[in-house]
Amino acid sequence: MVKNDESTNLYVARQAILNKDKKTVAYELLFRDSFENRMPVSVNKYVATKKLLVNSMAVFGLDKLTGNKPAFINFTGKNIENGQVELLPPDKVYIEILEDVKISRTLLSTCKRLKNKGYKFALDDFVFTPDYWPLIELASIIKIDFSITKTADARKSVRKTIPRNISLLAEKVETRKDYEQAANLGYDFFQGYFFYKPTIISKRTTVTNALSQFLLLQEINHSTLNINELENIIGQDISLVHKLLKYINSPFIGLSYKISSIKQAIILLGKDKIQKWINIICLQELSQKHPNELFAILLVRGKLCELIAANMKIISGKKDTAFLVGILSLSDVLFGQPMEEIITELGVTEDIRVALLGKNNIFGSLLQIAKLYETANWQNIHSWCKFNNFSEKLLAELYSEAAIWSNSINKNIKISRI
């Protein structure tokens, strides 16, 4: 097996939110950068939310993290105003506004627009002040921190102050007494160590290279969106291919059919969503390392499959699909998961699924010849060309072209680090 040095472990914590019947009705998602169960002090709240969004959507899968229950996610004012909320499904998320947010006309205007789109708001670590009324009027849930609001009178006063159409959530409930008191005072939801501590979930993933980040940000800020150029940039970075396919295959997008190419995914998302997706992905901390041999192999495979397909009448119109087959062909090695499981997450077409599982179809045949060329298996290469009526000379030229293309990508990434 080829060792992959271009991967990293990502982490997210989740804590259950329960109703009066002690049934889990939602989860709060919390940023973590290790198995240490606390917010890292070196990461500010804005950056933590960006990273949490990327990890939840593109790596873990929001629906898998929450079991299709709503997710409570902390947002700073800047996260909200920058449009990052709209990468999430309105029916699957509560926008949890942090207690130190600065209330401004821009923030309130953005929140009202989001509420009109179906998004719901929760106010975190709430302490009442008259200035908060505009946010209170937008909120569906207000969270009361029982480690701060400690007395029964103070906890009761909140319920009297807040309109009855807004639910109260008691957080940091650490004892049975806290829970019973909150329930008797009319609180609707509960969260804290008395029920569950946050559980950390980890997953290994590939990292996105610095050149792809730069090129995507540059391309997305042009006045006219060039779909072909976006497809080209994303197709050169295996990590971006995986993130794009996982995102578009999420319940939020709700596709009723399978994806057959990177271009199709971009078109289906549309300009607004692809811009938001690129901006949030590129705000990740990205790798500055030179791609290793595994990535070079995948780039050559993808390009070679594409070039061969373009020269075969039977599939000349599906060269994008051929490229995707090549670029995804070592996904099980990259992610340390069974190929069948990865394919299901990515939501690709049956033709791609069959090829990646090593079964016999035209795209599987393209992948086969790419692998044969890697190992210089000339006898089987000759047999493949004869069976497919394909010129061995042309094949050699196409492989050389694919290798040169792959090397140019690697060279450019190396230069971008200087």
Side-chain angles (χ1 to χ4, degrees), residues 60-281:
F60 294 95
L62 186 64
D63 53 323
K64 291 189 175 182
L65 281 175
T66 64
N68 285 317
K69 292 180 173 63
F72 281 64
I73 298 177
N74 291 325
F75 282 85
T76 67
K78 186 177 178 181
N79 292 121
I80 294 170
E81 292 172 12
N82 284 357
Q84 294 165 14
V85 172
E86 292 175 84
L87 287 168
L88 298 165
D91 61 332
K92 293 293 184 181
V93 65
Y94 279 84
I95 304 166
E96 198 167 321
I97 301 179
L98 296 170
E99 67 280 5
D100 56 358
V101 69
K102 292 182 179 179
I103 301 174
S104 66
R105 289 184 180 180
T106 302
L107 177 65
L108 290 175
S109 174
T110 304
C111 288
K112 287 176 183 178
R113 179 177 59 80
L114 290 170
K115 187 170 183 178
N116 289 336
K117 287 189 171 186
Y119 288 95
K120 298 177 288 293
F121 292 86
L123 304 185
D124 190 33
D125 291 347
F126 179 79
V127 176
F128 177 76
T129 65
D131 293 343
Y132 256 70
W133 270 117
L135 287 179
I136 293 172
E137 292 172 348
L138 288 169
S140 300
I141 294 175
I142 290 178
K143 301 179 74 173
I144 307 301
D145 187 336
F146 270 33
S147 70
I148 297 174
T149 309
K150 295 183 177 182
T151 68
D153 286 343
R155 294 167 181 178
K156 184 177 181 180
S157 175
V158 174
R159 181 63 284 179
K160 287 183 177 180
T161 303
I162 301 302
R164 285 284 170 178
N165 65 309
I166 300 175
S167 299
L168 290 186
L169 188 158
E171 63 175 336
K172 295 186 180 175
V173 174
E174 299 192 357
T175 66
R176 178 175 291 278
K177 181 181 177 181
D178 283 340
Y179 162 66
E180 290 178 348
Q181 188 179 84
N184 290 333
L185 290 174
Y187 284 66
D188 305 282
F189 304 105
F190 312 88
Q191 178 183 4
Y193 281 16
F194 175 65
F195 305 103
Y196 300 102
K197 293 182 178 182
T199 302
I200 295 181
I201 303 168
S202 177
K203 191 168 185 178
R204 196 155 188 82
T205 185
T206 53
V207 292
T208 309
N209 69 58
L211 179 64
S212 298
Q213 177 196 31
F214 173 78
L215 291 175
L216 279 176
L217 287 173
Q218 184 182 52
E219 186 61 40
I220 205 66
N221 287 309
H222 288 167
S223 57
T224 303
L225 197 64
N226 188 326
I227 292 175
N228 290 332
E229 188 59 30
L230 285 180
E231 178 192 24
N232 181 50
I233 297 169
I234 293 171
Q236 294 173 18
D237 192 308
I238 296 89
S239 177
L240 284 173
V241 174
H242 278 264
K243 287 178 170 67
L244 175 63
L245 292 178
K246 277 194 175 183
Y247 178 57
I248 198 168
N249 193 48
S250 67
F252 177 28
I253 304 300
L255 293 182
S256 58
Y257 44 87
K258 301 297 184 180
I259 297 298
S260 63
S261 70
I262 296 168
K263 180 183 287 187
Q264 182 190 21
I266 294 169
I267 292 171
L268 287 171
L269 278 179
K271 183 178 180 180
D272 289 343
K273 280 194 175 68
I274 196 66
Q275 284 179 327
K276 288 185 174 71
W277 178 82
I278 286 172
N279 281 323
I280 192 84
I281 288 293

Side-chain angles (χ1 to χ4, degrees), residues 378-390:
W378 306 120
Q379 183 175 345
N380 286 330
I381 289 171
H382 174 76
S383 299
W384 186 94
C385 288
K386 185 176 181 180
F387 180 82
N388 289 280
N389 194 27
F390 201 91

Side-chain angles (χ1 to χ4, degrees), residues 366-415:
L366 293 181
L367 189 55
Q368 178 193 28
I369 189 59
K371 292 177 180 179
L372 290 173
Y373 230 99
E374 286 168 18
T375 57
N377 191 331
W378 306 120
Q379 183 175 345
N380 286 330
I381 289 171
H382 174 76
S383 299
W384 186 94
C385 288
K386 185 176 181 180
F387 180 82
N388 289 280
N389 194 27
F390 201 91
S391 165
E392 289 186 53
K393 180 182 178 183
L394 176 58
L395 179 60
E397 292 172 354
L398 297 180
Y399 184 84
S400 177
E401 183 178 341
I404 291 170
W405 177 81
S406 174
N407 289 337
S408 70
I409 299 299
N410 291 345
K411 181 180 177 182
N412 286 336
I413 294 172
K414 186 175 181 180
I415 291 172

